[in-house]
Structure formats: C-alpha cells, structure tokens
Amino acid sequence: MDPQTVVWLAIILFALSSVSFLLIHLSNQRLRGVGWLAATFFAGLLGWGTSAAQPLPLWARQFAGDFFTLLGFVLMHVAVMEMMTKRKPVPSVGILLLIAVCVIDGGVALHLLPNAARSLMPLTLVIKCVRTTYLLLRAAHDEETLPAWFSSAVFIAFGLFQLVRFGMLVSAGLHHRPQSDGLLVAHQVALLVASLTIASSFFWMSNVQLSMQLQLMAGTDPLTRLYNRRTFLNVCDKELSTAIQRHRPFSVLMIDLDHFKKINDEFGHAVGDSALVAVVEAMQAAVRGSDTLARWGGEEFSALLPQADMSSARIAAERVRSNVEKLLVPLALQINSPRSLQLTVSIGLASYQAGDTVESLMQRADEHLYRAKQRGRNCVFPLFDVTEGSRALA
C-alpha cells in the first residue's frame, strides 16, 4: 500500500468520524468528552488533508501534518480529562508541546536540519501517550478498569512504535538519508488504527459511565440524593456478610423527622422539602465518611454504621439528633408565622447480634424508634447500653 492510498483512506474515515461524533455530542449531552473527540478527529482530518495538498511546498505539508497530528492527540487527552475527571480540562503540557513543534518543526530547523526536525514529532507523541495513559489508569473506577486498560494498551503500543520510529529517524539523519516510504506507511497505518481503536474504547468507557449513572439514579432519592430503601438494604446485606466473616460489629439507625405532617399542612410541601434537605445536610455532617445514609421513605431515614457497636452507635445517633435540633429552617414572612422552623428527630438504633438478619436488625431499630417517639420524641433509644447480649432499656 502506497502512502497516498493510506492518506485518502484516512481522510474519508476521519471526515465521517468527526461528523458522527459531533452529531452524537449535539444529540446527547450526557456523554462527556464526545465534543472534544469530534474536535480530535477534525484536527486529524486537517492533518491528513494538508499532507495530501500537493500545491503546498513539502516543508509546509510536513509541518501541518505534524502540528495537526499532535493537536489531535492533545484534544484526545482533553476528551479523556473531561470524561474521567469531570473538571474543566486545561492541557498545559500539550500546549507547550504544540509551541515546541511550531518553533522547531515549523522554524529554521525544518530548512537547515529537516531530519532532526522530523525526529521531534515521535517524541511529542510519546509524551502525550504517557500522560493520557497515566490519566486513564489513575482516574478509572472499578467498572471502568477494563476499557481503561484496553485504551492504555493502545496508547502504550503506539508510544512504543513512536520510540522505534524516533530511533530510525535519528539513524537516517546521522547518515543523511531521507525517511523511507516503508516507515512513513507504517506510521500512517499505526496512526489510523490507533485513532479509531482509541475512539472505540472511548465509547466503551462512556457506555460504562452512563450505565453507572443510570444505576445511581435508580438507587437514589431525587430530592435528597441519598440512597433509597432498596439500595440501602443491599448495602446492609454486604455489611452483614462482612460482619459475619470478620467477626466485627455494625449498627443501624432509624431516624424520623418529628411532626413532619404538621409542617407540610401548615407551611406547604415546599417548606417540607426544604426541611428534609436541611435535615439530610445536618445528618451528613454528623456521620463518618464510611457510614451510609438513606431515605427510608417519607420523613424517615436510615443509617448504616460499619464497625460501630452499641456504644459507638449511641454516640453517633446523639450527634445526629443534636445537629438536627440546632437547625433553623427559614420561612417566608406570613401573618402569625415564625421567622424560622425548628426541627427535631427521633432515633432508634440496633446493633448486630449473632443470628441477626438485615430484616431482624431493621425491625429492632424500628421498634426502638417507636419507643423513642413514646418517650416524647427528640431522643435516642436505647438510652444506654447494658451487658452483652441483653436488650438496652431506659
């Protein structure tokens, strides 16, 4: 296969890919990074197109091809940054490499030392491959590990090829020989295959992320962003298995917002929703990062406290109760209405005992919640822990 055939094949494929990715980006904003992926293939299209523009002098075609090829890899890195890290991407190293290509490859060196200038390009591509591989492996979550490793393998293989190409170009420069057609075709084919393979793995990771987002949406409460009851029980099942295997304690809390129906009836559901969100924020500030909060239903919440026995759970529950008691939810000024609303919660807790199931543990916590309401609300039940294996009573 001659170089011109590869170039025209690449032009067709890159043109179709850039348009397809742009349409996908415009039709589905949930797919992060696809817009930059479209820009990646458009930069590649410009690189392949200018390299085939015969009216341009050879040095201009070579410079444009190098510049747009590197620009494509920089934009690919930006696409991965946006997809994996969810932050505004700033490819500082890529910008420096583009400047270096403009100064060295597009400057005097291209006319005086063309072979030396040509050898710069493989090194810049190696640097971008290494940085993108590092980003992929560092930012990938469990479900993204396989596509991230696949993409990394492609980047590593392409980077190794560029190192070999660098050595061959340096050797050719030392012996004052031009770049061979075989090396040029090998580079073109490697670039084409790597670009299309990486794009495929990019969509693989995007589909994994969308699946994770859908699972999260199905398992969370839309108002409070906490887990719902089904997801919480699944987490409890896993903790129960761990507790049995490792012989370690854990506890659960059942939390009820006191007089919530009265809040909705007197002040409206908007105030009720604000109260729920405020309570969630107060509870999140009271528990550990390893603890799991969930909305059990309505004004009821639940919490899983790993490695917490009855005494530790009692301290955590009291911290939750105290944080909520300090809340003041602002109200719109109305006739005979207070400026703010004070909230309280009642909490029932239960610690794992030998032979417990998740259902029995949650039922015991719910019974203790009922006892807390009987005691006048705004309290935690049991009030204190007693000897191992016995029920704590007030």
Side-chain angles (χ1 to χ4, degrees):
M1 185 180 293
D2 64 281
Q4 285 301 315
T5 302
V6 179
V7 168
W8 284 109
L9 176 62
I11 288 174
I12 295 172
L13 291 176
F14 272 63
L16 293 175
S17 298
S18 59
V19 172
S20 299
F21 296 147
L22 178 60
L23 293 176
I24 292 172
H25 170 67
L26 294 176
S27 62
N28 192 344
Q29 299 293 327
R30 290 181 179 273
L31 292 173
R32 293 189 302 270
V34 178
W36 291 109
L37 189 62
T40 295
F41 277 81
F42 184 72
L45 175 62
L46 293 177
W48 291 104
T50 52
S51 66
Q54 294 299 327
L56 294 176
L58 178 61
W59 70 267
R61 297 202 305 271
Q62 290 178 340
F63 167 69
D66 287 351
F67 178 83
F68 286 118
T69 298
L70 179 59
L71 177 61
F73 273 81
V74 172
L75 293 174
M76 175 69 76
H77 185 81
V78 172
V80 173
M81 286 177 66
E82 184 175 272
M83 179 181 63
M84 303 295 289
T85 65
K86 303 179 184 179
R87 66 171 184 262
K88 187 176 181 180
V90 180
S92 53
V93 174
I95 293 173
L96 292 177
L97 291 176
L98 287 170
I99 294 174
V101 167
C102 289
V103 172
I104 300 176
D105 201 356
V108 179
L110 190 58
H111 301 282
L112 300 180
L113 299 169
N115 286 324
R118 300 245 51 78
S119 65
L120 170 68
M121 187 59 189
L123 287 182
T124 61
L125 294 178
V126 169
I127 293 173
K128 289 309 302 176
C129 288
V130 170
R131 285 187 57 81
T132 307
T133 298
Y134 173 74
L135 174 62
L136 281 167
L137 298 181
R138 184 189 65 176
H141 299 288
D142 292 340
E143 294 84 352
E144 300 167 326
T145 301
L146 186 57
W149 273 102
F150 178 77
S151 300
S152 300
V154 176
F155 276 113
I156 291 172
F158 185 74
L160 290 175
F161 171 79
Q162 293 303 319
L163 283 177
V164 173
R165 179 172 171 243
F166 169 74
M168 296 178 70
L169 286 173
V170 170
S171 176
L174 293 175
H175 293 88
H176 304 288
R177 295 195 307 265
Q179 180 181 197
S180 66
D181 287 345
L183 180 60
L184 177 60
V185 171
H187 167 63
Q188 291 173 334
V189 172
L191 179 61
L192 181 59
V193 171
S195 300
L196 296 177
T197 306
I198 291 170
S200 300
S201 61
F202 186 95
F203 275 100
W204 184 3
M205 284 187 289
S206 295
N207 286 331
V208 170
Q209 288 190 345
L210 276 180
S211 178
M212 292 168 58
Q213 290 175 13
L214 291 175
Q215 291 178 5
L216 181 62
M217 291 172 62
T220 56
D221 170 60
L223 175 64
T224 62
R225 304 299 181 187
L226 296 179
Y227 285 142
N228 58 24
R229 181 188 298 200
R230 178 176 60 85
T231 305
F232 178 78
L233 291 176
N234 289 337
V235 175
C236 288
D237 281 331
K238 295 179 182 178
E239 183 61 31
L240 176 62
S241 299
T242 302
I244 293 173
Q245 293 172 4
R246 301 183 182 179
H247 305 286
R248 72 183 193 187
F250 75 96
S251 300
V252 294
L253 308 180
M254 287 294 293
I255 308 163
D256 184 79
L257 183 56
D258 297 328
H259 306 296
F260 183 70
K261 185 177 183 303
K262 182 179 179 182
I263 295 174
N264 274 337
D265 292 343
E266 290 190 10
F267 305 107
H269 289 281
V271 173
D273 289 347
S274 297
L276 290 175
V277 172
V279 167
V280 168
E281 292 175 354
M283 291 191 298
Q284 287 174 328
V287 299
R288 303 166 300 177
S290 58
D291 299 332
T292 301
L293 285 170
R295 188 176 183 185
W296 191 254
E299 70 274 21
E300 284 191 326
F301 300 90
S302 53
L304 171 65
L305 312 177
Q307 303 187 56
D309 56 16
M310 177 68 78
S311 177
S312 300
R314 175 68 179 79
I315 295 172
E318 180 59 32
R319 191 163 56 241
V320 169
R321 187 206 62 80
S322 177
N323 273 22
V324 174
E325 187 181 31
K326 296 173 184 176
L327 280 178
L328 291 175
V329 179
L331 298 172
L333 293 180
Q334 300 175 359
I335 299 175
N336 298 325
S337 71
R339 290 179 177 270
S340 58
L341 182 66
Q342 188 169 16
L343 306 172
T344 61
V345 291
S346 301
I347 303 176
L349 67 91
S351 295
Y352 169 71
Q353 299 173 0
D356 262 335
T357 64
V358 172
E359 290 74 16
S360 66
L361 191 62
M362 297 306 300
Q363 182 178 357
R364 194 159 68 250
D366 192 57
E367 291 171 357
H368 289 172
L369 173 61
Y370 180 72
R371 296 289 295 276
K373 292 180 180 180
Q374 283 184 323
R375 296 184 63 85
R377 295 182 170 85
N378 191 25
C379 67
V380 177
F381 190 90
L383 295 183
F384 59 89
D385 200 2
V386 293
T387 57
E388 183 179 0
S390 65
R391 180 175 293 238
L393 298 174

